[in-house]
Amino acid sequence: MAKKQFKAESKRLLEMMINSIYTQKEIFLRELISNASDAIDKIYYKALSDDQLVFNQADYYIKVTADQEARTLTIADTGIGMTKEELENNLGVIAKSGSLAFKNENEAKDGHNIIGQFGVGFYAAFMVADVVTVTSRALGSEEAFKWKSEGADGYTIVPATKDTVGTEIVLKIKDNAEEVSYDEFLEQYRLRAIIKKYSDFIRYPIKMDVTGQRPKDGSEGEFEEYSEEQTINSMVPIWRKNKNELTQEDYDNFYMEKRYGFDKPLKHIHISADGAVVYNAILYIPEHTPFDYYTKEFEKGLELYSNGVLIMDKCSDLLPDYFGFVKGMVDSEDLSLNISRELLQHDRQLSLIAKNIKNKIKSQLISLLKDERDSYEKFYKAFGRQLKFGVYNDYGANKDTLQDLLLFSSSKEKKLVSLDEYVERMPEDQKYIYYASGASIDRIEKLPQTEMVLDKGYEILYFTDDIDEFAIKVILKYKDKEFKSVSSGDLGIEADPSETPTEEEATDNKELFEKMQGILAGKVSGVRASKRLKSHPVCLSSEGEVSIEMEKILQAMPDSQNVKADKVLEINVNHEILQSLKAALASDEEKLGLYTNLLYNQALLIEGLPIQDPVEFTNAMCKIMV
């Protein structure tokens, strides 16, 4: 029979689909199995309107057979089959989908949804095969026909013999090339892996003859090889089962089977949405941080299925970065996919699913925080840093979503507290939410700047993570309470009149402080009497948006551009050191310079900042000693 040409615009169209549309060659098996599943679904639809046709699901299956010697791979189904005209129209016209036409004519019922939409999936076979042969017998017909093609040159259709209704596709697998081994598509373990990866939840059995070994009867220590037909796929996905039928063990097993992590998940979220967009999802909140979580190599994203067929391993668009630790999958029929079914078109359905998932995750975390505090704190230890970065990132666009999830150590309870818990127990006269930053809680507790706030009975949040203060600067206020660093210039606390310098004392100290400021020119913006110090002689405070702790973090970064805080040296006028300074001012300016630099360097050390000249500092200490 004469070879027919494909009814597409050009030979180039098929070449483009074979070589460009799909990114991975293994996709061909997903496409052919999906087509086989569609063919069986079509019989189901026929049975709904034809009383003479009985659909018994147990009679329908897909069979995959590899012959390494002949280099053939066969995918057979017991579906509706195709007539000669349907072979001509569906396989002879590139990008015409018989499944899409059938889907448009029939309403989906009982979860039997047609997968195919574009009519190009079949041609993925040419990525791995030199020759593709399709033998098909249509339902209700005694005739069978064979369609055969070697690619873009065209195809032939001839009468054939087939005992049963259905379609059999035989691929003549290509010989190995220099950079590609096609042998893998004839290997049993590789075919099983591809089926499990992409088609595990096809609703019909996908069968293979599997070879194994067993002890030989009557021969100790000897084994014999055997072959048996096995069903490779799981068929019924866990996410389509009723939640009441599932146990925690079922969810944990699914987590391990999908290799979402090696730990036991802290919590799962099972979503069955049936509204503006229909989808199912199972999400997991891990207990531990993945080893590569804070590296460039980590990829966030959920597995994405369309009608039970895996489309993407990691769909990053379904998760915001700050919830990137969540593992799991989403299955939806409403997604707009591109022609290869490997990528999503960015559409309204995808955005709705992502928004709903974000809200569900937050709701679950809030519930965990309120009802299972120990579990939440375990989670927060692993992923709290990511939540705080989410607050800071994108100029604070997500602060309203995340601020209720934040926890910080506290001076009052010596444990993690939420912002809500802090505000709820604030005294009526407290104007601000106070915080102190440092490398550790122990270091923060020793800061001189905390004295006045603690003496008033106010609680202080301890910021020990480098992102903490940056995140809080973005939040600005929580429940109408502004955040205030204990090192800021104005604490908003009325000082005890007995400890506040009088106008006369302020005048007396004016010359001293101006002289000290001159000695420290370029290092501090001012020297003044402290209203916050009780027992400590000196401390640094900051003015402006950049705090001293933020300066330390920024200075440690590459390309820091030498960002510095606007520092003020504060002197405790009720400390004995003031008299020594006054005496030096009156009689020995050199000693005043020595004392001033010593106090400044001590204040730097208290803050954890480096001393500009350690040798000069130690020499100054020795001068005082002698």
Side-chain angles (χ1 to χ4, degrees):
M1 184 177 180
K3 183 178 288 187
K4 297 184 179 183
Q5 295 299 311
F6 285 110
K7 297 177 183 177
E9 282 187 339
S10 66
K11 174 181 175 181
R12 175 63 185 149
L13 179 59
L14 178 56
E15 290 175 344
M16 179 187 73
M17 285 189 289
I18 294 171
N19 299 315
S20 304
I21 288 180
Y22 297 98
T23 57
Q24 299 180 68
K25 296 189 185 307
E26 64 186 28
I27 294 292
F28 83 92
L29 190 55
R30 179 193 76 180
E31 296 296 308
L32 296 181
I33 288 175
S34 295
N35 289 346
S37 176
D38 285 349
I40 299 173
D41 277 340
K42 289 174 184 178
I43 293 185
Y44 167 79
Y45 280 101
K46 290 275 187 190
L48 293 178
S49 57
D50 187 346
D51 294 337
Q52 303 299 313
L53 186 61
V54 178
F55 184 84
N56 181 6
Q57 188 160 335
D59 296 336
Y60 298 93
Y61 62 88
I62 300 162
K63 182 74 179 279
V64 178
T65 307
D67 185 334
Q68 291 184 329
E69 290 186 10
R71 291 192 72 78
T72 60
L73 180 65
T74 302
I75 298 93
D77 66 64
T78 55
I80 199 167
M82 288 178 280
T83 64
K84 180 181 179 182
E85 290 73 22
E86 287 170 334
L87 283 170
E88 179 93 37
N89 291 332
N90 294 340
L91 303 187
V93 181
I94 300 169
K96 176 175 180 179
S97 173
S99 290
L100 181 59
F102 191 93
K103 183 178 183 180
N104 291 336
E105 294 169 7
N106 294 269
E107 183 183 354
K109 294 181 177 68
D110 303 327
H112 287 69
N113 295 293
I114 303 298
I115 298 168
Q117 297 180 55
F118 298 105
V120 299
F122 167 78
Y123 301 97
F126 287 103
M127 292 193 296
V128 300
D130 288 323
V131 182
V132 178
T133 304
V134 181
T135 304
S136 191
R137 176 181 163 185
L139 181 70
S141 173
E142 297 297 323
E143 293 182 303
F145 293 90
K146 181 186 290 184
W147 181 98
K148 186 175 182 180
S149 175
E150 296 179 10
D153 287 340
Y155 62 92
T156 60
I157 299 178
V158 297
T161 302
K162 194 174 188 304
D163 295 333
T164 58
V165 171
T167 299
E168 180 182 88
I169 302 173
V170 180
L171 310 183
K172 179 70 174 178
I173 301 299
K174 294 178 180 180
D175 292 327
N176 292 336
E178 187 174 330
E179 297 180 357
V180 184
S181 173
Y182 292 97
D183 287 350
E184 63 174 313
F185 302 119
L186 295 168
E187 294 169 354
Q188 187 181 109
Y189 79 92
R190 182 72 175 106
L191 292 171
R192 284 170 61 103
I194 296 172
I195 292 169
K196 290 293 288 183
K197 179 178 180 180
Y198 293 104
S199 308
D200 197 31
F201 303 112
I202 291 289
R203 67 180 61 88
Y204 306 106
I206 302 172
K207 299 181 178 183
M208 277 183 64
D209 292 327
V210 176
T211 303
Q213 285 191 331
R214 62 190 173 197
K216 193 173 183 180
D217 292 339
S219 300
E220 192 173 331
E222 291 188 35
F223 292 85
E224 63 179 359
E225 200 170 83
Y226 72 98
S227 178
E228 67 176 6
E229 188 178 74
Q230 292 182 5
T231 298
I232 306 302
N233 60 323
S234 303
M235 288 186 285
V236 182
I238 183 175
W239 58 83
R240 286 183 182 163
K241 293 180 179 179
N242 193 309
K243 296 177 189 178
N244 297 330
E245 300 174 10
L246 299 170
T247 65
Q248 184 59 49
E249 186 178 0
D250 292 326
Y251 289 109
D252 290 347
N253 288 340
F254 184 68
Y255 182 85
M256 298 303 292
E257 285 170 10
K258 300 301 292 181
R259 295 183 176 86
Y260 291 143
F262 298 105
D263 58 340
K264 189 176 179 180
L266 200 62
K267 213 72 179 172
H268 74 267
I269 307 168
H270 191 160
I271 307 171
S272 297
D274 190 4
V277 61
V278 179
Y279 72 96
N280 293 285
I282 295 180
L283 312 175
Y284 293 94
I285 298 172
E287 185 174 359
H288 301 295
T289 312
F291 72 94
D292 61 344
Y293 186 65
Y294 290 111
T295 69
K296 293 179 182 177
E297 286 70 36
F298 180 80
E299 286 184 76
K300 73 176 176 79
L302 301 175
E303 285 186 326
L304 181 65
Y305 291 80
S306 178
N307 286 315
V309 178
L310 181 66
I311 303 302
M312 294 177 71
D313 275 328
K314 290 183 183 294
C315 180
S316 60
D317 292 332
L318 288 170
L319 286 176
D321 286 343
Y322 50 82
F323 287 155
F325 49 81
V326 173
K327 303 289 186 181
M329 52 65 55
V330 173
D331 185 15
S332 177
E333 305 156 13
D334 295 340
L335 298 173
S336 298
L337 307 176
N338 73 347
I339 196 168
S340 69
R341 292 196 287 193
E342 291 181 279
L343 299 172
L344 283 168
Q345 312 278 10
H346 291 269
D347 62 4
R348 182 171 174 269
Q349 285 84 2
L350 180 65
S351 299
L352 284 173
I353 293 174
K355 182 180 179 181
N356 197 7
I357 284 174
K358 179 190 74 172
N359 293 336
K360 290 286 186 181
I361 294 170
K362 180 185 175 179
S363 178
Q364 181 64 71
L365 291 174
I366 289 289
S367 176
L368 204 63
L369 173 62
K370 291 179 178 177
D371 303 329
E372 300 176 56
R373 185 58 172 255
D374 289 344
S375 294
Y376 186 81
E377 290 189 11
K378 190 180 292 184
F379 152 78
Y380 195 79
K381 183 178 180 181
F383 300 107
R385 181 184 177 89
Q386 184 68 11
L387 297 182
K388 288 182 280 191
F389 184 76
V391 171
Y392 171 73
N393 203 25
D394 295 328
Y395 305 100
N398 305 300
K399 64 181 181 180
D400 292 337
T401 300
L402 299 173
Q403 60 188 7
D404 288 322
L405 299 173
L406 303 183
L407 296 180
F408 300 99
S409 296
S410 159
S411 62
K412 185 157 285 189
E413 296 190 2
K414 308 297 181 186
K415 67 178 186 181
L416 293 172
V417 301
S418 68
L419 296 178
D420 184 62
E421 289 165 345
Y422 180 102
V423 171
E424 284 299 312
R425 60 190 183 216
M426 281 175 60
E428 287 187 19
D429 64 338
Q430 185 179 337
K431 297 178 182 178
Y432 301 106
I433 299 173
Y434 293 103
Y435 67 86
S437 302
S440 66
I441 292 175
D442 187 55
R443 288 278 293 270
I444 293 173
E445 287 180 332
K446 293 175 182 176
L447 286 176
Q449 294 93 324
T450 63
E451 285 186 315
M452 186 177 188
V453 178
L454 293 175
D455 279 358
K456 289 287 290 183
Y458 297 160
E459 187 174 6
I460 299 175
L461 296 177
Y462 292 160
F463 291 175
T464 55
D465 216 343
D466 52 13
I467 189 66
D468 288 347
E469 195 166 1
F470 290 90
I472 290 302
K473 291 280 187 183
V474 168
I475 294 177
L476 292 176
K477 60 173 66 177
Y478 181 82
K479 292 189 174 179
D480 296 325
K481 296 290 184 180
E482 292 183 27
F483 291 89
K484 181 75 74 171
S485 169
V486 296
S487 298
S488 63
D490 179 17
L491 291 175
I493 298 175
E494 294 295 329
D496 188 332
S498 64
E499 297 176 354
T500 304
T502 64
E503 191 174 329
E504 185 180 345
E505 287 174 326
T507 304
D508 288 345
N509 296 328
K510 183 179 180 181
E511 183 186 357
L512 172 64
F513 292 157
E514 287 178 350
K515 195 74 174 178
M516 293 176 71
Q517 184 173 342
I519 294 169
L520 298 173
K523 297 177 181 178
V524 297
S525 60
V527 178
R528 66 182 175 215
S530 178
K531 296 180 180 180
R532 78 188 77 221
L533 293 175
K534 300 288 184 179
S535 59
H536 293 275
V538 67
C539 74
L540 286 174
S541 62
S542 61
E543 296 178 335
E545 289 301 311
V546 180
S547 70
I548 294 170
E549 193 63 27
M550 291 171 75
E551 175 190 317
K552 287 159 60 177
I553 296 164
L554 292 170
Q555 288 292 336
M557 292 181 177
D559 192 28
S560 64
Q561 298 180 352
N562 202 30
V563 176
K564 290 186 178 294
D566 192 6
K567 304 181 192 70
V568 175
L569 184 69
E570 295 194 5
I571 305 296
N572 184 353
V573 295
N574 296 313
H575 195 279
E576 296 90 335
I577 193 70
L578 184 67
Q579 302 308 316
S580 299
L581 290 169
K582 283 184 174 181
L585 175 66
S587 60
D588 192 339
E589 286 198 10
E590 183 181 347
K591 185 174 283 188
L592 178 62
L594 181 68
Y595 287 171
T596 300
N597 280 301
L598 275 174
L599 287 172
Y600 172 69
N601 285 325
Q602 285 174 356
L604 288 177
L605 288 172
I606 290 170
E607 294 294 337
L609 290 167
I611 294 173
Q612 190 172 4
D613 191 340
V615 174
E616 182 183 339
F617 177 70
T618 54
N619 288 338
M621 292 292 293
C622 291
K623 282 183 183 179
I624 291 177
M625 292 173 68
V626 298

